Amino acid sequence: MSVKDQINNIVIVGGGSAGWMTAAMLAKQLESKVSITLIESDTIGTVGVGEATIPPIKVFNRMLGIDENDFLKHCNGSIKLGISFENWPQKNHQYFHPFGRFAVDFDYIPFSYFWNKHRATGTDSNKNRPLQDYASAWHLAKNDKFSLPAKDAKSLFSGFDYAYHFDAGLYAKYLKGYSQKRGVKRQEGKVTQVDTNANNGFISSVTLASGQKITGDFFIDCSGISALLIDKTLGIEFIDWSKHLLCNQAIAVQTSHVKAINPYTRSIAKRSGWQWRIPLQTRMGNGSVHCSDFIDEQSAMDELMADVDGKLLTEPRVINFNVGRREKFWHKNCVAIGLSSGFLEPLESTSLHLIQRAIMRLVYLFPNKQCDEINTKLYNQQTIEEYEHIRDFIILHYKATKRDDSEFWKYCQHMPIPDSLQNQIELFSTHGHLDINAKDLFKQDNWLAVLTGQNILPKSVAPIMAYKQQIDLPRTMNSFYDMMEKTVKNLPNHEDYLKKNCLFQFDKM
Ligand SMILES: Cc1cc2nc3c(=O)[nH]c(=O)nc-3n(C[C@H](O)[C@H](O)[C@H](O)COP(=O)(O)OP(=O)(O)OC[C@H]3O[C@@H](n4cnc5c(N)ncnc54)[C@H](O)[C@@H]3O)c2cc1C
């Protein structure tokens, strides 16, 4: 590639989590050799939610060279070991989606096959233990404990994983500092005009309300739901998934803590949606996610406010959203990252992850000025697969309900679902097998947690188990459980862990 083909000048429109995560990673990966300008508007602000994450965020921070404790200290961060789903398959029911694996696989056969055989054929009193009882993340979570995974691969506590809860605004601020140190220029102002090149349709410049024109070789649309470049300028359509994922409104409010800071997110199913509780070090994030066709805003607000603890720290804020994705994410010389590219509701905390994946995909497929179509096509195809995979996993939570106490849940039980999800449910229901691809975000253990948690169980034992007679199942299963119970007693409390390693230091920002 000749030097004149190289991208020298990148413009990022938007300074929410998407904008600053992108700026930070590009500054690092391009080794500050490319001019990067990020435009953000204080008057427009950011969406201001996005507090729960999944384990791969650790990899993103590590790639940036960020120290975990420093990041948690500055972003009001706490630990997340998984999600407690309450009242989902039915009222007064709880299950946990733990991060990491269930116990250990034997001889390349998934642990769940053994668990299922014990459940189906055992005669001992422990055969009805749910699968989550064999996840060390669950043992830690239910006791409000945390310490880093054991380094000894033989320990049952080496197999759990964790992510974070944090203040997304502070994370953006943290990454802004990181980016600016590496040469990213921040430009305050509102973009009011976007110009394209008449010959090839590429974006050539954006103009601010002040009249200042900013040119670039490559543009990244991180403008949130306004999708200023990808939609308003390039006209890429939004594919709506509200037929399968009904929720379209959220109400967010922050309160003070009254109880222990749980190392997990709570997702509590309500009449027409669900409620989140996300504990940060100094406050609780609460919110309702619901479908406005089934509940009006005031009733949703009343329901939420009746179910928060502690003092109100903010006024409740209503956020309307559409669930779906762009038809394309990269078009011409523009990539959409963050809410401008699409949105899947926050049930499994996947949005920041989609941002992270988009950024890394852009890094691997980083173009020259021509932005060859073969490159953009691959980027788009991989992103579509990722979106659809996560979409299916989220739909499963709604579809697998047995609740019939409201019109919303009745609809969910009977709604059409994508063929890909239908196949997965049927496959699992038969012998407990699953169709997992190497690139999938949600792996065997994630699907197992939600399927078995929602009471979808295999009708029969996996046939391969007929050849695995040598293991004394009741004894083995009991020893896993007892060992986890015993080990967890000696581990530190989550709050003590935070105090010792990464106490929030707002004044030191
Ligand atoms: C209810 C809800 C809960 C969520 N919870 C989670 C969660 O738990 N975990 C998770 O991973 N994700 C969650 N998300 C998603 C997450 O909040 C977003 O994916 C993430 O914050 C990225 O947002 P963004 O940067 O794309 O957009 P925004 O934060 O909206 O930022 C857009 C930026 O563009 C700028 N901008 C817009 N127009 C212009 C213009 N004309 N000129 C200049 N600048 C402009 C704005 O000023 C702002 O800086 C949640 C989302 C919602 C709606």
Side-chain angles (χ1 to χ4, degrees):
M1 182 174 64
S2 76
V3 175
K4 82 176 181 5
D5 282 341
Q6 272 177 14
I7 287 190
N8 296 314
N9 188 355
I10 296 175
V11 178
I12 301 172
V13 176
S17 318
W20 285 112
M21 283 172 78
T22 307
M25 189 54 83
L26 289 184
K28 167 95 168 81
Q29 293 287 339
L30 302 172
E31 300 179 357
S32 306
K33 293 193 176 94
V34 170
S35 155
I36 303 174
T37 306
L38 183 146
I39 304 164
E40 64 179 333
S41 160
D42 284 342
T43 46
I44 297 175
T46 65
V47 68
V49 275
E51 301 184 320
T53 58
I54 53 176
I57 185 92
K58 299 202 298 298
V59 179
F60 187 78
N61 283 352
R62 226 176 279 143
M63 287 171 92
L64 291 174
I66 288 173
D67 173 77
E68 178 170 84
N69 287 337
D70 188 64
F71 146 77
L72 288 170
K73 223 181 250 180
H74 288 101
C75 299
N76 204 356
S78 67
I79 299 294
K80 175 178 171 186
L81 290 159
I83 306 176
S84 169
F85 286 99
E86 299 165 31
N87 303 335
W88 277 83
Q90 60 210 41
K91 280 187 166 177
N92 303 317
H93 178 281
Q94 185 272 346
Y95 75 92
F96 195 69
H97 174 186
F99 293 147
R101 62 171 196 238
F102 292 104
V104 283
D105 296 346
F106 304 118
D107 200 14
Y108 304 101
I109 302 294
F111 172 76
S112 63
Y113 288 17
F114 293 89
W115 168 79
N116 188 39
K117 182 173 179 191
H118 182 224
R119 184 187 68 80
T121 61
T123 50
D124 57 309
S125 58
N126 295 322
K127 69 171 197 151
N128 292 326
R129 270 197 194 124
L131 187 57
Q132 72 188 33
D133 279 3
Y134 301 98
S136 40
W138 167 236
H139 286 266
L140 287 162
K142 71 177 175 176
N143 290 294
D144 289 325
K145 301 266 185 150
F146 181 73
S147 75
L148 293 171
K151 292 213 169 80
D152 176 3
K154 285 196 227 105
S155 162
L156 288 172
F157 281 75
S158 65
F160 78 87
D161 208 346
Y162 67 96
Y164 315 115
H165 305 119
F166 56 73
D167 180 325
L170 292 180
Y171 186 48
K173 201 168 165 188
Y174 189 79
L175 294 181
K176 184 195 292 191
Y178 177 101
S179 307
Q180 288 181 317
K181 262 193 226 146
R182 286 160 182 79
V184 174
K185 287 169 263 170
R186 175 191 182 266
Q187 178 64 55
E188 165 63 31
K190 183 175 172 185
V191 174
T192 50
Q193 189 183 319
V194 184
D195 288 318
T196 53
N197 181 321
N199 294 326
N200 61 7
F202 278 31
I203 296 176
S204 50
S205 65
V206 296
T207 307
L208 305 184
S210 63
Q212 185 185 350
K213 191 180 244 203
I214 299 171
T215 57
D217 303 323
F218 195 76
F219 289 79
I220 304 181
D221 186 348
C222 295
S223 65
I225 47 175
S226 64
L228 209 58
L229 309 183
I230 198 79
D231 178 3
K232 308 261 171 19
T233 307
L234 299 175
I236 302 300
E237 275 180 35
F238 186 82
I239 298 176
D240 180 287
W241 281 338
S242 58
K243 184 167 74 168
H244 303 302
L245 289 169
L246 278 69
C247 293
N248 56 7
Q249 190 174 66
I251 304 174
V253 67
Q254 296 170 10
T255 56
S256 59
H257 278 302
V258 289
K259 294 184 191 135
I261 304 174
N262 304 132
Y264 56 90
T265 301
R266 287 178 66 196
S267 162
I268 308 149
K270 293 304 192 71
R271 234 173 357 127
S272 307
W274 58 281
Q275 181 185 335
W276 79 72
R277 284 192 185 209
I278 301 179
L280 272 57
Q281 284 196 34
T282 64
R283 63 170 167 81
M284 180 70 87
N286 310 272
S288 160
V289 175
H290 49 266
C291 175
S292 61
D293 295 345
F294 291 86
I295 189 166
D296 62 76
E297 196 176 301
Q298 190 55 51
S299 307
M301 179 87 74
D302 295 344
E303 207 172 76
L304 171 68
M305 299 314 278
D307 206 1
V308 296
D309 301 325
K311 263 203 329 257
L312 288 196
L313 301 178
T314 57
E315 284 302 311
R317 204 159 56 85
V318 177
I319 305 161
N320 294 309
F321 57 80
N322 296 320
V323 172
R325 65 162 174 88
R326 290 282 150 206
E327 186 207 335
K328 289 185 207 169
F329 307 87
W330 183 341
H331 187 59
K332 309 280 184 190
N333 63 338
C334 172
V335 170
I337 298 182
L339 295 174
S340 60
S341 69
F343 182 57
L344 286 163
E345 62 138 287
L347 187 60
E348 283 283 354
S349 325
T350 43
S351 292
L352 293 179
H353 178 75
L354 281 166
I355 293 171
Q356 163 180 352
R357 295 284 302 161
I359 296 168
M360 291 322 298
R361 189 169 292 125
L362 175 60
V363 167
Y364 296 134
L365 296 174
F366 197 73
N368 59 19
K369 280 186 190 159
Q370 281 74 45
C371 294
D372 306 294
E373 258 184 52
I374 192 152
N375 210 36
T376 58
K377 207 169 147 195
L378 178 63
Y379 181 99
N380 287 325
Q381 190 49 42
Q382 290 185 348
T383 313
I384 289 169
E385 283 165 18
E386 196 161 70
Y387 258 85
E388 290 182 350
H389 163 75
I390 297 175
R391 173 201 63 188
D392 284 5
F393 190 63
I394 297 177
I395 296 172
L396 170 66
H397 299 63
Y398 288 98
K399 179 69 181 175
T401 189
K402 290 280 176 290
R403 284 184 62 159
D404 58 4
D405 55 304
S406 72
E407 291 309 310
F408 175 81
W409 290 110
K410 279 189 212 156
Y411 179 91
C412 290
Q413 254 193 70
H414 299 110
M415 71 181 167
I417 56 172
D419 291 346
S420 42
L421 176 58
Q422 188 63 44
N423 290 340
Q424 186 76 302
I425 294 175
E426 279 170 25
L427 181 66
F428 184 71
S429 305
T430 310
H431 293 305
H433 300 149
L434 285 166
D435 179 14
I436 307 292
N437 294 314
K439 279 193 274 175
D440 289 347
L441 167 64
F442 293 112
K443 304 277 192 266
Q444 175 104 358
D445 289 331
N446 305 104
W447 283 93
L448 283 167
V450 177
L451 284 161
T452 64
Q454 299 260 154
N455 293 330
I456 296 181
L457 298 170
K459 290 191 196 81
S460 59
V461 175
I464 186 77
M465 293 307 294
Y467 310 93
K468 307 278 167 194
Q469 302 286 358
Q470 69 280 29
I471 294 175
D472 177 346
L473 277 178
R475 219 181 104 233
T476 311
M477 302 303 262
N478 252 343
S479 71
F480 279 146
Y481 181 86
D482 291 346
M483 217 181 299
M484 287 185 187
E485 281 286 273
K486 198 169 140 209
T487 310
V488 87
K489 286 203 176 85
N490 300 319
L491 296 176
N493 286 325
H494 176 223
E495 284 184 31
D496 291 340
Y497 178 88
L498 297 175
K499 266 184 215 143
K500 181 163 172 227
N501 298 291
C502 44
L503 189 65
F504 180 43
Q505 295 184 357
F506 188 75
D507 52 348
K508 296 224 171 132
M509 286 287 295

